[in-house]
Amino acid sequence: MSDAGSPGTTAGTGRIAAFFDLDKTVIATSSTLAFSKPFRHGGLINRRGVLKSAYAQFVFVASGADADQVERMRAHLTSLCAGWDVAQVRAIVEETLHDIVHPLVYAEAADLVAAHKADGHDVVVVSASGAEIVAPIASMIGATHSVGTEMVAVDGRYTGEIAFYCYGPNKAAAVRELAERNGYDLSRSHAYSDSSTDLPMLEAVGRPSVVNPDRALRKVAVEREWPVLAFTKPVPPRPRSATPVVAIGLGAMAATGAAWYGLQRRRKR
């Protein structure tokens, strides 16, 4: 777990927090897959790895990811990163963060984060992506804390093993741990997610909301009368003099992924 910013306070019997899933809740795609091109430029993956990541990103955006898909994606990415230099990964993420991620942030999510902070709430990003990716993104959007998947590293390099997988019930466990540590009143706290795999986290708070929900989560939200939010607008580009922004469109990523998929189909034939 990592902190980003200073904690807020509330006037009630306990502090209030707002817990946000990251992928397809705060940003429009997978935060991990979004860095495939910078990782290639840094020599961490090859061109084939970029194409596979682009196609996986296209599928993720178009149809979401159920538990089996997320598990396959996790296995692929953890095996891929075995041997990577941790310091190099952190440097690449920091250097390309605003170019890669800022254009993908939902304006509605940014406004909601700002509203919670204005109300004195802590904002916590809880994601299955690696902590080295989650923490800088959380800091960029003004979150107070972040929790991500913790990879095992030996002598400064990832082994491919996972110390803590921030997914499913583990997200709820992380939320409860933070609540105990920081004095959050979970019955008065909020949580936001797009995926039914995050149901344990949503159920851990008294004020859950769903964002662009998958079919299973939408059904639960309707049955339980949870708010259903639709996030569609990207954050407006920042002036280059303030923060350089080079938008990488999802259409281009999808086209690249489709090309890889077509190549695979032709090979099978």
Side-chain angles (χ1 to χ4, degrees):
M1 298 182 187
S2 55
D3 293 350
S6 57
T9 59
T10 61
T13 57
R15 301 165 66 194
I16 295 176
F19 300 94
F20 286 80
D21 173 47
L22 180 58
D23 300 347
K24 297 188 75 175
T25 300
V26 173
I27 66 175
T29 188
S30 162
S31 51
T32 299
L33 297 177
F35 285 97
S36 57
K37 286 188 176 180
F39 287 162
R40 183 200 174 195
H41 294 156
L44 296 177
I45 58 177
N46 57 25
R47 184 173 180 273
R48 179 179 175 81
V50 173
L51 291 174
K52 291 178 70 174
S53 295
Y55 177 66
Q57 176 142 280
F58 168 67
V59 172
F60 187 87
V61 172
S63 60
D66 59 22
D68 289 340
Q69 289 172 321
V70 170
E71 180 61 25
R72 289 195 297 271
M73 192 180 300
R74 179 202 66 80
H76 167 68
L77 292 173
T78 54
S79 64
L80 187 68
C81 75
W84 287 6
D85 183 275
V86 177
Q88 183 184 10
V89 170
R90 289 173 176 164
I92 290 173
V93 171
E94 290 285 356
E95 291 169 3
T96 62
L97 178 67
H98 290 280
D99 289 355
I100 297 297
V101 178
H102 184 265
L104 302 174
V105 175
Y106 287 121
E108 298 94 337
D111 291 343
L112 188 55
V113 168
H116 277 293
K117 294 188 68 177
D119 287 340
H121 303 165
D122 279 14
V123 173
V124 185
V125 175
V126 188
S127 174
S129 292
E132 289 79 8
I133 290 176
V134 177
I137 296 176
S139 180
M140 182 185 74
I141 67 170
T144 317
H145 305 285
S146 67
V147 186
T149 293
E150 300 283 351
M151 300 293 296
V152 176
V154 176
D155 296 329
R157 293 186 179 275
Y158 294 121
T159 65
E161 299 175 336
I162 294 179
F164 173 72
Y165 188 24
C166 190
Y167 174 75
N170 284 346
K171 278 194 178 184
V175 164
R176 294 189 181 97
E177 181 183 333
L178 276 174
E180 183 176 354
R181 183 195 310 172
N182 297 324
Y184 298 144
D185 181 350
L186 289 181
S187 69
R188 298 165 60 227
S189 292
H190 304 255
Y192 303 89
S193 178
D194 70 291
S195 174
S196 56
T197 62
D198 283 341
L199 193 56
M201 181 179 76
L202 294 168
E203 292 174 331
V205 302
R207 299 170 181 173
S209 298
V210 302
V211 177
N212 302 339
D214 60 30
R215 184 177 300 178
L217 185 58
R218 181 178 294 276
K219 181 180 179 181
V220 172
V222 170
E223 291 174 349
R224 302 186 187 183
E225 298 183 341
W226 291 350
V228 178
L229 309 178
F231 290 177
T232 60
K233 301 175 183 177
V235 168
R238 297 179 180 180
R240 292 188 64 86
S241 58
T243 303
V245 174
V246 180
I248 296 181
L250 293 178
M253 295 293 288
T256 306
W260 178 82
Y261 179 66
L263 177 62
Q264 295 299 104
R265 285 179 62 86
R266 286 195 296 272
R267 285 178 176 174
K268 289 180 180 180
R269 290 172 181 171

